[in-house]
Amino acid sequence: KSYGVKPELLTDRSRPTTLKKRYRAHNKTLLRVIDLRQFAIEQKLQDEIYERVEALVPRLDALLFSDFNYGCLPTELVTRITALCARHKVRLAADSQASSQYSDVSRFRGMDIITPTEREARLAVKDSASGLVELAEKLRLAADAKMVLVTLGAEGLLIHAPSYDVLRTDRLPAMNPRPQDVAG
């Protein structure tokens, strides 16, 4: 509230709340059990989301798609919103998580920035062998993205972006080289 954030919540009666359980021993995750529904949300709900975004777009500078791949952002809805944002010159970014499910960050076409992990980038372009720079370029082309930021956990971040009409690649070290999983 102090930042002026006003959540607009929608309900999908066809799916229960996702439930994740981790079974741990000696600070190590042994097993993860996830109860989720991963099918695409119904068209009526997609239309409602689109209409809400459509009302906001004229006032936006940027829009971030943050997707856990549980079906809440079907590709058709992403494509509609992307086209809407293009008409209003709204910058676009996408982060699409693939920790325990299949995802393809390249389906977020035409983004200014996409931010996959190395694993997510490899899944998207079906490439387990290329080096990181070649991988980032393959993904940039597949997704028609301007910039790819490959997050590398404790290894930092690979930046693959245009600079003065040429592609440049750089790497930033991790700010915290020893991250810990604090999930209980």
Side-chain angles (χ1 to χ4, degrees), residues 5-110:
V5 174
K6 298 174 190 161
E8 291 194 30
L9 305 176
L10 301 173
T11 301
D12 181 354
R13 304 251 182 245
S14 69
R15 64 182 82 214
T17 300
T18 298
L19 180 62
K20 296 182 178 186
K21 290 182 184 178
R22 289 185 187 194
Y23 295 91
R24 300 174 59 96
H26 306 290
N27 289 328
K28 191 165 182 113
T29 299
L30 303 175
L31 176 69
R32 288 189 303 177
V33 178
I34 303 173
D35 180 20
L36 67 97
R37 304 299 184 269
Q38 205 167 347
F39 54 86
I41 58 175
E42 63 183 39
Q43 189 62 49
K44 181 179 175 187
L45 196 51
Q46 289 183 47
D47 292 342
E48 190 172 344
I49 291 170
Y50 180 84
E51 289 166 9
R52 289 183 185 205
V53 172
E54 187 177 39
L56 293 171
V57 149
R59 300 188 312 263
L60 298 181
D61 295 317
L63 184 134
L64 169 65
F65 291 102
S66 183
D67 188 21
F68 283 84
N69 289 289
Y70 296 152
C72 294
L73 278 175
T75 300
E76 177 185 304
L77 177 59
V78 170
T79 302
R80 289 174 65 198
I81 292 172
T82 299
L84 173 67
C85 288
R87 289 193 301 273
H88 289 271
K89 298 189 178 6
V90 173
R91 294 199 176 269
L92 294 166
D95 182 47
S96 179
Q97 188 188 48
S99 64
S100 58
Q101 63 283 337
Y102 175 77
S103 78
D104 181 358
V105 71
S106 70
R107 75 186 183 90
F108 291 92
R109 299 200 39 81

Side-chain angles (χ1 to χ4, degrees), residues 104-131:
D104 181 358
V105 71
S106 70
R107 75 186 183 90
F108 291 92
R109 299 200 39 81
M111 299 292 116
D112 293 287
I113 301 171
I114 54 176
T115 61
T117 63
E118 179 182 353
R119 178 176 175 271
E120 291 161 353
R122 291 191 184 285
L123 283 172
V125 296
K126 298 171 184 61
D127 181 342
S128 61
S130 294

